[in-house]
Amino acid sequence: MTAASKQHASTKESNYLTAGYGVRSWLLTVDHKRIALLYLISLTTFFSVGGLFAVLIRLELLTPQGDLFQSETYNKLFTMHGIFMVFFFLVPSIPAVLGNFFLPLMIGARDVAFPKLNLLSWYVYAAGGLVTLFAMFAGGVDTGWTFYAPYSSTYANSHVILAALGIFITGFSSILTGVNFIATTHRMRAPGLTWMRLPLFVWANYATSLIMVLGTPVIAVTILLVAIERLLHVGIFDPALGGDPILFQHLFWFYSHPAVYIMILPGMGVMSEIVACFTRKRIFGYKIVAMSSLAIAILGFLVWGHHMFVSGQSMYAGFVFSLLSMLVAVPSAIKVFNWTATMYRGSITFATPMLYALGFIGLFTIGGLTGIFLAAMALDIHVHDTYFVVAHFHYVMVGGMVMAYLGGLHFYWPKMFGRMYHEGLAKVAAVMIFIGFNLTFFPQFLLGYLGMPRRYHVYDEDFQVLNVLSTAGASVLGLGFALPICYLIFSLKFGKKVGDNPWDAAGLEWTISSPPYEHNFHEIPEVTEEAYDYGKREAARV
Amino acid sequence: MSTEHHVTPLRVYFTVFALLLGLTFLTWWVATIDLGAWNTTIAISVAMTKVMLVVLWFMHVKYSNKLIWFFAAAGVYWLVLLFGFVMTDYLTRLPVTGWGG
Ligand SMILES: [Cu+2]
C-alpha cells in the first residue's frame, strides 16, 4: 500500500477548513493554508478597490475633454489605482495565496518554517493596507505610484507620508514572507526531494523570495528618506538643500524594477505547473527553466536605469542599463520557448487553467518584446511616458501575472476546497478576459506610438476613437473579472465534489486529500522521482 | 550544524553594546570638528564598523554555518551593486554648461 492510498483510506477525517470554527480560529491560525485564504480575501478586496479606480479612469478617458473629473482628482485616481494594484495586489498575490498554500504541500512539509511569522506577515500586510486605505479616504495622493521627488517631497500637497507609510509597513510583510519561504525551501523538504527534483513553482517562489529580501529594504529606506526630508528638512532629494532628485529615482527603481520580477516570477512558476499537467509532459529543459528563475532574480537588479533614460542620468549609465535590460530578456525568453517546446507533441487538453496558460504565453510575449523596444534608448526617447509604456506593463502585469494568478487559482481550486467550479462559465470568463484585455490595451500601444502622453485626462480629439475602444474593452474585462468571483464563491457550496487528484497531476500536493488535512501529510512522504513524471503516468494508463 | 546551539555569554553582549555606544559618541564628536571630506569618510567607516558588530555578534552570524555567511555576504554584495551602479551615473555626468550651451 503506498503512502498516497493509505491517506485515501480516511477521508472522513476533518480537513483544514473543518478543523476549527469561529472568527478566532481564523484570525489566530498558524496553518499556512488558512493564512493563504486570509490573503485571498484581502487581496481580492484590494484588487476590487484598484479596479474601481481603473473604471473611473477609463470613464473619464471616453471623451477628449476633462468633463468627469478635474485634473487634480484624475491625478489621484491613477495614483491610487497604481498603489493598490502594485503594492497590495500584484506583489503579494501569487506568493501569499498560492505560495503560502502550496509551497509546503509541494515539498512534503506540514507547514512553513515559521508559522507564527507567517501569520504576522498577514497582519502587517493588513495594517499597511488599512493605513493606505485611510490615506485614500483622507483625500488620497497625487504623485503617481512612483512617488517621484520633488512631487512627493518639495511640492507634495496630498497625503504622501500617510500613503507611503502604508507601503513601508506592507514591505515588511514581503520581507517576512520571503525569509519564511527561503528557510522553508532550505530546511523543510521531504527526504529524497533534492533541489533538482523541486517543482518549478517552488524554484520560482524561491527566486522571488530572494528579491523580496534583498530589494524591499531599499524601498523602505527610500520612503524613510522622503519622510526625513519632508519632516526634518534634511537635504536628500531637494537641490536647494544640497540633494539630488534623480537619486530618488535610482533608489526607487533599485527595488521597483526587481519588483516587476516579484510580480511575474511566481506567475511563471504557476505556468510551468499548468503547462506540464495539461500537456502530460515533463517541462522541456527543466534545469534551465529552474536556473533562469535565479538568473532573472539576479540580473533583474541591474537594469533599473532603463526608467531614467530621459530624466537626467548620464549617457554612459543609460548605455550600461540599456544593454543589461536587453540581457534580462534572455532568461524570460528561455521560459517561453521551453513552455512552447513542452507543448510540442504533447496531448493537450483545453481545460480552463490551460486557457489562461495559453493566454499568458501570447500576452507575456507581447509585453516582453515591447519591453525590448523600451530598453532601446533612442526609441524610448520617443515613447517615454506615453501610453506605449502603459500598454507594455499592463501586458506583462495583467496579461502575464493576472492570467497566471487566475490560471493557478482555477488549477488549484479543487485541491483547496474539494469542489469544482462550473467549467463552462469558467471558459467563458477566460475568453472574455482575453478579448477584453486585448481590446483595452492594444489600442494603447497605438496611442502611445502616436504620441499620447500618460497621466493626462484631457487629450487631442484625434485620439478619441482608440480611447473609446480601450474603454469598451475595459468594460468587457471588468465583467470577465467579476464572473470568476461569482462562480468560484458559488462553487464553495454547490460545486461538484471532486477526488484528491481531479487533473491526474503529478506532485506531492495531489497525493493528499482535497481539501487537505490540517497537517497536510499523515506520514512525511519519501520522494524517489523527479518532478513532472507524466511520462510514467501516461505509460501506466495504456 | 554543530554550532547551531551556541550560547553567547552576556558579557560579550554588554561589551559589544558598550562599543556601539562609544562609536556613536565618536560619530557625534567627529561631526563637531571640520575635517573637510574626511568627515564623511570617518562617519561612514564608523557606521560600517557598527554594522559589523551588530551582524557578527547580535545577529549571531559569527557562530553560524556557511549558508548563513553566504546570505549575509549576498546582502553586502547587493549594497555594493546599488552604490556601484548609481555611481555609473554620478561619476560620468557631463558638467552643465548652461541652457543651450
Ligand atoms: Cu524596469
Side-chain angles (χ1 to χ4, degrees):
Chain A
M1 205 180 191
T2 64
S5 53
K6 216 184 279 173
Q7 286 171 350
H8 259 295
S10 54
T11 33
K12 287 250 167 65
E13 187 183 344
S14 72
N15 59 54
Y16 78 104
L17 292 168
T18 54
Y21 294 96
V23 178
R24 261 178 73 95
S25 78
W26 282 90
L27 292 183
L28 295 178
T29 181
V30 287
D31 184 338
H32 65 103
K33 302 180 287 299
R34 284 191 168 207
I35 294 170
L37 296 192
L38 291 178
Y39 267 115
L40 178 63
I41 295 165
S42 29
L43 279 164
T44 309
T45 313
F46 286 117
F47 179 77
S48 313
V49 175
L52 194 70
F53 285 113
V55 169
L56 297 176
I57 292 170
R58 282 320 317 169
L59 275 180
E60 167 59 61
L61 291 176
L62 260 180
T63 60
Q65 302 84 27
D67 28 26
L68 206 53
F69 303 109
Q70 300 194 313
S71 43
E72 256 174 64
T73 316
Y74 184 77
N75 290 346
K76 287 178 177 171
L77 292 180
F78 68 70
T79 302
M80 302 308 289
H81 168 68
I83 288 176
F84 281 115
M85 286 306 201
V86 171
F87 295 109
F88 297 97
F89 175 70
L90 288 166
V91 166
S93 59
I94 291 186
V97 179
L98 298 175
N100 254 331
F101 203 107
F102 287 99
L103 188 88
L105 298 184
M106 283 182 176
I107 64 170
R110 293 205 164 106
D111 208 316
V112 291
F114 309 112
K116 285 180 184 159
L117 215 57
N118 202 15
L119 180 64
L120 179 67
S121 83
W122 178 74
Y123 274 102
V124 171
Y125 165 80
L130 288 179
V131 170
T132 306
L133 271 181
F134 179 73
M136 177 188 97
F137 285 117
V141 206
D142 63 356
T143 58
W145 76 276
T146 52
F147 290 98
Y148 269 14
Y151 303 132
S152 60
S153 50
T154 317
Y155 300 110
N157 48 9
S158 52
H159 295 84
V160 173
I161 294 195
L162 203 55
L165 178 70
I167 294 165
F168 178 84
I169 295 172
T170 302
F172 285 92
S173 148
S174 269
I175 296 173
L176 293 179
T177 304
V179 169
N180 222 337
F181 282 9
I182 291 173
T184 307
T185 314
H186 274 278
R187 303 303 298 270
M188 312 277 286
R189 282 172 288 128
L193 188 53
T194 56
W195 285 87
M196 280 303 140
R197 284 176 178 170
L198 282 178
L200 289 163
F201 180 78
V202 177
W203 270 108
N205 273 285
Y206 181 77
T208 309
S209 305
L210 291 178
I211 308 179
M212 284 172 163
V213 171
L214 290 167
T216 318
V218 178
I219 187 97
V221 168
T222 313
I223 289 172
L224 219 54
L225 288 175
V226 170
I228 289 176
E229 179 168 290
R230 288 203 66 177
L231 301 173
L232 306 175
H233 304 287
V234 179
I236 295 157
F237 305 122
D238 182 1
L241 298 170
D244 175 28
I246 296 177
L247 179 64
F248 178 90
Q249 298 183 22
H250 278 301
L251 294 175
F252 178 83
W253 289 112
F254 182 83
Y255 164 76
S256 296
H257 184 81
V260 172
Y261 298 110
I262 294 182
M263 302 178 222
I264 197 73
L265 264 174
M268 292 169 155
V270 170
M271 277 294 294
S272 297
E273 301 299 320
I274 296 178
V275 169
C277 176
F278 292 99
T279 53
R280 315 304 300 164
K281 278 173 75 184
R282 186 168 199 254
I283 286 287
F284 179 83
Y286 165 91
K287 255 187 205 166
I288 197 147
V289 176
M291 288 306 130
S292 63
S293 289
L294 288 185
I296 287 175
I298 294 167
L299 275 176
F301 271 101
L302 307 178
V303 301
W304 78 81
H306 61 218
H307 296 269
M308 302 164 61
F309 288 153
V310 297
S311 58
Q313 149 186 275
S314 82
M315 265 318 222
Y316 173 74
F319 170 74
V320 170
F321 283 123
S322 172
L323 192 74
L324 288 166
S325 300
M326 305 244 176
L327 271 184
V328 79
V330 175
S332 305
I334 286 175
K335 286 181 188 280
V336 173
F337 283 129
N338 279 285
W339 295 321
T340 316
T342 307
M343 287 195 284
Y344 178 65
R345 308 190 97 176
S347 51
I348 302 176
T349 37
F350 295 97
T352 310
M354 190 60 182
L355 293 184
Y356 282 109
L358 292 170
F360 179 105
I361 292 180
L363 300 177
F364 177 75
T365 302
I366 295 177
L369 285 178
T370 50
I372 297 184
F373 290 26
L374 292 166
M377 271 195 282
L379 185 60
D380 184 66
I381 288 168
H382 175 66
V383 292
H384 184 88
D385 258 350
T386 67
Y387 266 89
F388 193 89
V389 179
V390 177
H392 153 70
F393 68 73
H394 280 91
Y395 264 79
V396 177
M397 299 289 84
V398 185
M401 164 53 217
V402 177
M403 286 284 171
Y405 178 69
L406 287 172
L409 215 52
H410 284 83
F411 184 48
Y412 289 117
W413 195 261
K415 172 55 65 184
M416 293 165 84
F417 299 104
R419 287 175 188 272
M420 192 60 105
Y421 45 84
H422 191 287
E423 177 75 9
L425 269 177
K427 280 186 172 150
V428 169
V431 171
M432 269 176 78
I433 289 173
F434 184 79
I435 293 173
F437 173 81
N438 280 294
L439 189 56
T440 312
F441 292 104
F442 200 81
Q444 297 187 8
F445 276 128
L446 306 177
L447 282 169
Y449 195 74
L450 294 171
M452 178 171 166
R454 62 193 283 205
R455 296 185 172 136
Y456 288 91
H457 70 317
V458 177
Y459 56 85
D460 195 285
E461 277 175 19
D462 291 349
F463 296 139
Q464 189 173 11
V465 175
L466 288 168
N467 269 299
V468 169
L469 283 179
S470 182
T471 300
S475 45
V476 178
L477 185 60
L479 284 178
F481 284 143
L483 216 53
I485 295 181
C486 300
Y487 65 70
L488 286 179
I489 293 175
F490 185 80
S491 78
L492 291 180
K493 188 118 180 79
F494 305 103
K496 203 175 87 216
K497 280 199 172 164
V498 291
D500 295 348
N501 194 354
W503 311 115
D504 191 18
L508 293 176
E509 71 274 26
W510 299 103
T511 62
I512 57 174
S513 70
S514 315
Y517 309 121
E518 198 184 356
H519 295 292
N520 306 344
F521 299 93
H522 289 312
E523 287 165 55
I524 295 298
E526 192 159 337
V527 180
T528 51
E529 50 191 41
E530 50 191 21
Y532 313 116
D533 216 354
Y534 285 103
K536 211 186 266 172
R537 276 168 185 276
E538 292 307 288
R541 250 194 211 183
V542 179
Chain B
M1 309 273 165
S2 55
T3 51
E4 220 167 12
H5 298 291
H6 179 92
V7 179
T8 318
L10 275 181
R11 185 172 40 83
V12 176
Y13 285 122
F14 283 116
T15 314
V16 173
F17 184 58
L19 277 171
L20 287 172
L21 285 181
L23 287 169
T24 308
F25 178 76
L26 183 68
T27 308
W28 168 80
W29 179 69
V30 169
T32 59
I33 343 173
D34 187 8
L35 295 170
W38 284 101
N39 275 109
T40 314
T41 317
I42 294 175
I44 291 178
S45 313
V46 172
M48 283 303 183
T49 315
K50 285 159 85 176
V51 167
M52 294 307 283
L53 289 174
V54 170
V55 168
L56 289 178
W57 278 280
F58 281 1
M59 294 172 83
H60 292 206
V61 169
K62 190 172 188 295
Y63 314 106
S64 301
N65 60 42
K66 286 214 179 81
L67 187 64
I68 304 283
W69 273 91
F70 180 76
F71 271 83
V76 176
Y77 183 65
W78 249 252
L79 195 66
V80 172
L81 287 182
L82 170 63
F83 285 127
F85 276 81
V86 168
M87 283 304 156
T88 62
D89 173 16
Y90 282 98
L91 298 180
T92 58
R93 280 196 198 165
L94 297 173
V96 178
T97 49
W99 299 109

